Amino acid sequence: MTIEDHLPDTVKNASTVQLLRQGDVLFSRNSPTTGVYEVLQGRVRLSRMDHTGHETILYVARVGDPLAEASIFSQTYHCDAIAASDATVRLYPKAPLLREYENNPAFAKAYAMILARQLMDTRAKVEMLNMNSARARIRHYLSRNACSAEHHVEIKGSLKELALELGLTHEALYRTLARMAESGEIERNGNIIKLV
Amino acid sequence: MTIEDHLPDTVKNASTVQLLRQGDVLFSRNSPTTGVYEVLQGRVRLSRMDHTGHETILYVARVGDPLAEASIFSQTYHCDAIAASDATVRLYPKAPLLREYENNPAFAKAYAMILARQLMDTRAKVEMLNMNSARARIRHYLSRNACSAEHHVEIKGSLKELALELGLTHEALYRTLARMAESGEIERNGNIIKLV
DNA sequence: CGAGTGATTGACTTAGATCAATGACCGTGG
DNA sequence: CCACGGTCATTGATCTAAGTCAATCACTCG
């Protein structure tokens, strides 16, 4: 279920592609919304900065993921979008999307399903952040991201980035992973983690 | 913007009302979805229990708030709904809602806006939980819930319940509120908190 | 009146944040 | 080709704030 599945050509043709270098700002908080993005390559993270400069990662959009879906009904963005790696994104401008809403029920439903999925994912993140032990957060992350067949997880990006996503310091993440490997709970091979 | 604003009578007439006593379970995880609720009176919380019995509050629905909106596209509920106080809810059964999706664009749009709002609220909660100091979480909560004109917040329900919502122990909440009052940051009058 | 619950405070423990240092690696420019 | 700056990964030492256990008081409800 990607955003374009139910889009007619009129909307697809109105879309544009952008290339981003790691660290580039795709849009920033309070700037006017231009539309909804889809990640074609790489990773883009949605985050908020608090007044102390501390960053909260709200969401990491990977290949095929939509970005800023909730902004379609807003005048301004509510967070920053930053390329977590070199990335390619496609922008679907707001106006044709909203027009599509009026006369394409299949699209409206598909879009709502995307929003519903985002909501459930974000609630899973709430659940994860509500755990106060680093080990529990990591377990939660691993079990949600394990390929169901093989019990392993491939870490995309750096561990520092993962730490940010888990709401931990990178030191806490390194240490806890090390302890989990010691105790035999996981096995590590580069950026692949196997659950035991 | 409540859920019923764009509903035709056919759907409204299919809805039913339920009375709940504090602590009653409205639905529980993995049970089949029946539809979407609206809270008419009281408070209902969505939560998940982890294997240790620790509860995570995902969302507290208050008067006028929708409940389980994301479940309309799912076969089963993904969390528990428990009455946080005596409460009244209205159930809109799934089937007529989904039918409405097909031929009522205004409804489809309104529903998507509700989902988008829920998503933004939940992201705000992620932001809050990502702060590790109790004081910062409380500040975040207060600033989001202050009546914009007057700088005060009325706490609905007990402080214990608020502590759960903030992902803190009740002791930490009591203490931090006390310290914030000491330092003059807030003033307390029963369940009303004034920001200074 | 007694049981149950919320609000509050104290003492203690602990896990994560913070500060700091080191080694590996990678790309760049002289 | 290699030195150098930058970043990631890792580990150690220390501090602190939140969790945990425990006790008390107030209040309500049957």
Side-chain angles (χ1 to χ4, degrees), chain B residues 132 158-160 170-171 174-175 188:
Chain B
N132 31 23
S158 67
L159 288 181
K160 282 185 82 162
H170 54 277
E171 296 99 321
Y174 295 145
R175 274 192 256 267
R188 298 177 63 186

Side-chain angles (χ1 to χ4, degrees), chain A residues 12-167:
Chain A
K12 287 187 191 172
N13 293 339
S15 73
T16 56
V17 168
Q18 275 181 58
L19 299 177
L20 302 171
R21 310 295 302 270
Q22 178 169 354
D24 280 359
V25 174
L26 180 57
F27 56 76
S28 54
R29 196 171 185 178
N30 296 325
S31 60
T33 55
T34 51
V36 176
Y37 295 89
E38 180 189 356
V39 175
L40 304 179
Q41 257 182 55
R43 302 184 313 282
V44 179
R45 64 173 189 266
L46 270 196
S47 56
R48 269 189 212 157
M49 223 64 137
D50 71 16
H51 54 97
T52 70
H54 189 67
E55 179 178 0
T56 300
I57 296 193
L58 298 173
Y59 169 57
V60 180
R62 293 161 212 281
V63 176
D65 289 334
L67 191 63
E69 334 77 82
S71 74
I72 192 181
F73 303 116
S74 305
Q75 292 307 306
T76 57
Y77 291 111
H78 293 79
C79 35
D80 302 326
I82 298 165
S85 67
D86 291 355
T88 313
V89 297
R90 181 178 291 278
L91 167 65
Y92 296 97
K94 242 166 80 167
L97 277 183
L98 284 172
R99 233 175 288 126
E100 203 60 22
Y101 239 102
E102 306 300 334
N103 42 33
N104 185 344
F107 164 74
K109 191 172 174 183
Y111 199 88
M113 287 178 77
I114 289 175
L115 284 171
R117 162 173 294 276
Q118 288 292 319
L119 180 55
M120 292 191 293
D121 284 355
T122 308
R123 284 191 175 147
K125 179 147 192 174
V126 165
E127 188 186 19
M128 188 272 290
L129 285 177
N130 202 52
M131 304 172 170
N132 31 25
S133 103
R135 189 175 279 229
R137 288 193 193 177
I138 294 171
R139 282 201 195 111
H140 187 273
Y141 173 83
L142 291 178
S143 63
R144 274 184 61 83
N145 289 85
C147 324
S148 46
E150 312 287 325
H151 290 279
H152 60 65
V153 181
E154 184 187 351
I155 309 286
K156 314 274 190 184
S158 67
L159 287 180
K160 282 186 82 162
E161 197 185 333
L162 177 61
L164 214 52
E165 203 180 332
L166 297 183

Side-chain angles (χ1 to χ4, degrees), chain B residues 25-133:
Chain B
V25 175
L26 179 57
F27 57 77
S28 53
R29 196 171 183 178
N30 295 326
S31 61
T33 55
T34 52
V36 176
Y37 295 88
E38 181 189 355
V39 175
L40 304 178
Q41 259 181 55
R43 301 184 314 282
V44 179
R45 63 171 189 265
L46 270 196
S47 56
R48 269 188 212 158
M49 223 65 136
D50 70 19
H51 55 98
T52 71
H54 189 67
E55 180 179 359
T56 301
I57 296 193
L58 297 173
Y59 169 56
V60 180
R62 303 185 154 79
V63 177
D65 288 335
L67 190 62
E69 334 76 80
S71 73
I72 192 181
F73 303 116
S74 305
Q75 293 306 306
T76 56
Y77 291 111
H78 293 79
C79 37
D80 303 325
I82 298 165
S85 68
D86 291 354
T88 313
V89 298
R90 180 178 291 277
L91 168 65
Y92 297 97
K94 243 167 81 168
L97 276 184
L98 284 173
R99 231 174 291 126
E100 203 60 22
Y101 238 102
E102 307 300 333
N103 42 34
N104 186 343
F107 164 74
K109 191 172 174 184
Y111 200 87
M113 286 178 78
I114 289 174
L115 283 172
R117 163 173 293 275
Q118 288 292 320
L119 181 55
M120 291 191 293
D121 283 355
T122 308
R123 285 190 174 148
K125 181 148 189 171
V126 165
E127 187 185 22
M128 188 270 292
L129 286 177
N130 202 51
M131 304 174 171
N132 31 23
S133 105

Side-chain angles (χ1 to χ4, degrees), chain A residues 1-8 12 38 40 90 92 114:
Chain A
M1 168 73 58
T2 69
I3 192 174
E4 63 164 348
D5 286 352
H6 293 275
L7 283 179
K12 287 187 191 172
E38 180 189 356
L40 304 179
R90 181 178 291 278
Y92 296 97
I114 289 175

Side-chain angles (χ1 to χ4, degrees), chain A residues 134 138 159-164 167-179 188:
Chain A
I138 294 171
L159 287 180
K160 282 186 82 162
E161 197 185 333
L162 177 61
L164 214 52
L168 298 171
T169 58
H170 55 277
E171 296 99 321
L173 177 61
Y174 295 142
R175 273 191 257 267
T176 310
L177 283 176
R179 273 184 235 144
R188 299 177 63 185

